[in-house]
Amino acid sequence: MSVRFEDLSVGDELPPLARTLTRDDLVRYAEASGDRNPLHLDDAAARAAGFPGVIAHGMLTMGHLATCLTRWLGGPEALERLTAPFRAPVFPGETLVAGGRVRALDASTRRVELEVWVTVEYYDGGNDQWMLEYDGTTAPYTAAPPVQLQNTGKWRLHTFHLTDAYFGGRQNVGADLRLSDLSWADGQTNYFGRVWIARSLPGNQPPDLVAPNRVAVPVGKITQIPVSATDPDGGLISLSLDRSVDFATLVDNGDGSGFLRLAPAESDMRPCPFRIRLLATDSGNPSLSDAATIQIILHPYAVFLPVTIR
Amino acid sequence: MNEGLGGKRYPEVRVEVDPARVRAFAHAVGEREGFVPPTFATVPELAGLAQVIADPELALDFSRVVHVEQSYEWRRPLRVGDVLRCRPRIEAVRTRGDTGFLTIVSEIVNAEGEVVVVGRCTLAERGR
């Protein structure tokens, strides 16, 4: 049982926690804390110090107050500071009642751990990696696992599931996250589109189909072009041809992968490229698709025969 | 008490957050188990304070001492197995009427050198 910041209002009362202290409690606290001052254990010593008998450790009273707070907060993590002025002695047999009232709430300094899903739209050009760095609870520059580019020439989506986001604006004087090109090895700038941040798992997301942009295949020969699709939701994917040509067939392995089987004949040769449109459709409800267009350029199959010239 | 001791630092004292000790402490302050009670910080703090109280240069009459105020500032929760070092320092020694006030600030750091909790303890030495 713990409180949530959102549910609090100024003036709210903490559930009071009562405890009647016994001499045994004082002995137990002395042993556990290491504070064996005779003032808390020996009546004669207490009388010599001007009290009618033993008094409880101030720290036992404070410990009881801390217990009241951790019960209300659900644990010790949220407790940042506690000050206890000890105004009067507490004698065995007396009942301590710990409680409190919410005096102020400051939404700007509250610390909470957020579970969020961040979806980034990015242009898949080049062969390097890009990364998301976010303001996390452990560090203002927490890195999510990098994303590898596959040079498909498409705008794609990637969703990160962050369980320790803090988003306190501690990056670069006020930012919650940043997207960066992890290396300049491919000499290409990375482009990013929209970013969505959700407090719950996003609904069904379209699959992500990876296929080459352009292929050159010889006529009179069979060429296989591998294609593959993944579903961010982990659903099943079916592959299909949306627009095709006579010499192309699609083989769907059923696991998101497959290949295009191209068997062009000499008679298929023409000067401009063919376009095939491939679809990957997920099993969500409603189901969503991703499409890829592949340009096919046919060229003569070159056969080199051994020729001997005398 | 020697009022000239403000700012004096004492050697650090090492205290391990022992599970049996934590259990006994949790029981003593009515805390449930599963975490280290926040005021368990008293254990390393007291281990450091012992040398301040016994410092002949300070000349504190401990039989006339009462604890008048305590505060803790936690930077992170204490954990079982933490190896803590307590570094006590006298913040101030003052006299008001016939009562002397001694404030000791104890910085409690973990094995990585990170400050876990800062304790501020004010003791009063009452007049005879």
Side-chain angles (χ1 to χ4, degrees):
Chain A
M1 178 59 217
S2 69
V3 291
R4 297 195 324 156
F5 188 89
E6 290 83 356
D7 301 335
L8 293 177
S9 311
V10 171
D12 283 357
E13 299 268 350
L14 273 65
L17 182 65
R19 181 178 181 191
T20 304
L21 293 179
T22 65
R23 279 172 177 270
D24 282 349
D25 290 335
L26 271 51
V27 173
R28 220 170 282 134
Y29 186 81
E31 287 305 314
S33 68
D35 183 353
R36 296 187 187 80
N37 187 340
L39 185 61
H40 309 301
L41 302 169
D42 176 16
D43 280 324
R47 276 195 293 272
F51 295 104
V54 292
I55 64 168
H57 303 72
M59 290 309 304
L60 177 52
T61 303
M62 191 181 186
H64 177 68
L65 175 60
T67 299
C68 169
L69 290 168
T70 56
R71 285 197 189 179
W72 182 62
L73 295 166
E77 290 82 6
L79 193 57
E80 280 197 350
R81 196 175 302 132
L82 187 60
T83 301
F86 303 116
R87 301 262 168 83
V90 176
F91 299 100
E94 287 192 307
T95 301
L96 291 171
V97 182
R101 187 179 296 122
V102 177
R103 200 159 70 177
L105 294 165
D106 184 351
S108 68
T109 56
R110 60 178 293 212
R111 281 168 179 271
V112 285
E113 196 165 71
L114 300 170
E115 182 180 23
V116 292
W117 284 260
V118 178
T119 304
V120 179
E121 188 182 35
Y122 66 101
Y123 181 72
D124 185 18
N127 297 303
D128 72 345
Q129 296 180 323
W130 63 271
M131 72 186 294
L132 169 77
E133 266 183 305
Y134 60 97
D135 182 5
T137 48
T138 46
Y141 295 90
T142 305
V147 177
Q148 177 67 48
L149 294 173
Q150 289 169 300
N151 201 19
T152 56
K154 287 200 318 174
W155 282 91
R156 298 171 70 185
L157 298 178
H158 186 89
T159 298
F160 299 90
H161 178 201
L162 311 180
T163 54
D164 61 343
Y166 172 46
F167 288 174
R170 296 179 299 170
Q171 284 197 359
N172 296 351
V173 202
D176 287 328
L177 52 86
R178 57 184 194 164
L179 299 165
S180 56
D181 196 343
L182 201 57
S183 80
W184 297 86
D186 62 354
Q188 294 203 36
T189 309
N190 288 354
Y191 297 99
F192 299 100
R194 292 164 289 178
V195 175
W196 297 264
I197 300 173
R199 287 298 301 271
S200 56
L201 182 70
N204 187 30
Q205 290 190 295
D208 184 25
L209 174 62
V210 178
N213 265 336
R214 231 174 135 86
V215 289
V217 297
V219 294
K221 203 174 178 284
I222 294 168
T223 307
Q224 293 188 350
I225 311 290
V227 294
S228 73
T230 50
D231 186 19
D233 316 298
L236 290 172
I237 295 174
S238 56
L239 300 172
S240 58
L241 285 170
D242 182 41
R243 191 169 70 206
S244 188
V245 289
D246 290 342
F247 59 80
T249 49
L250 176 70
V251 177
D252 183 354
N253 294 336
D255 61 355
S257 72
F259 57 88
L260 267 177
R261 187 175 180 279
L262 304 174
E266 199 79 42
S267 56
D268 290 319
M269 282 286 285
R270 64 174 209 194
C272 54
F274 292 88
R275 281 190 175 79
I276 282 181
R277 195 161 180 267
L278 189 65
L279 284 182
T281 307
D282 69 12
S283 55
N285 186 23
S287 66
L288 296 170
S289 298
D290 188 22
T293 301
I294 306 171
Q295 286 190 45
I296 298 167
I297 301 152
L298 299 183
H299 60 79
Y301 182 44
V303 180
F304 297 96
L305 296 171
V307 178
T308 309
I309 301 170
R310 287 179 196 274
Chain B
M1 271 193 297
N2 181 349
E3 291 198 37
L5 282 196
K8 181 168 179 180
R9 288 170 189 278
Y10 292 82
E12 59 182 32
V13 176
R14 184 180 171 282
V15 175
E16 209 166 312
V17 181
D18 165 73
R21 188 83 183 264
V22 169
R23 221 165 14 247
F25 192 94
H27 184 55
V29 294
E31 190 63 275
R32 61 197 165 82
E33 290 184 24
F35 56 86
V36 181
T39 61
F40 188 85
T42 306
V43 173
E45 189 188 25
L46 276 176
L49 285 186
Q51 50 184 333
V52 183
I53 290 162
D55 183 1
E57 206 187 354
L58 180 65
L60 176 74
D61 179 359
F62 195 67
S63 68
R64 292 187 287 130
V65 162
V66 286
H67 193 181
V68 292
E69 188 172 305
Q70 178 69 42
S71 82
Y72 288 116
E73 200 185 306
W74 292 273
R75 305 279 166 84
R76 41 162 242 140
L78 297 154
R79 308 237 183 265
V80 168
D82 275 348
V83 178
L84 303 173
R85 283 165 296 150
C86 174
R87 300 168 174 163
R89 160 174 68 85
I90 292 181
E91 190 182 67
V93 185
R94 287 195 195 92
T95 306
R96 297 274 180 280
D98 61 352
T99 305
F101 290 90
L102 168 67
T103 304
I104 302 139
V105 172
S106 302
E107 218 179 42
I108 296 159
V109 301
N110 64 14
E112 286 76 45
E114 299 162 330
V115 177
V116 176
V117 51
V118 179
R120 195 164 177 277
C121 168
T122 303
L123 302 176
E125 183 193 51
R126 297 177 305 159
R128 285 173 207 280

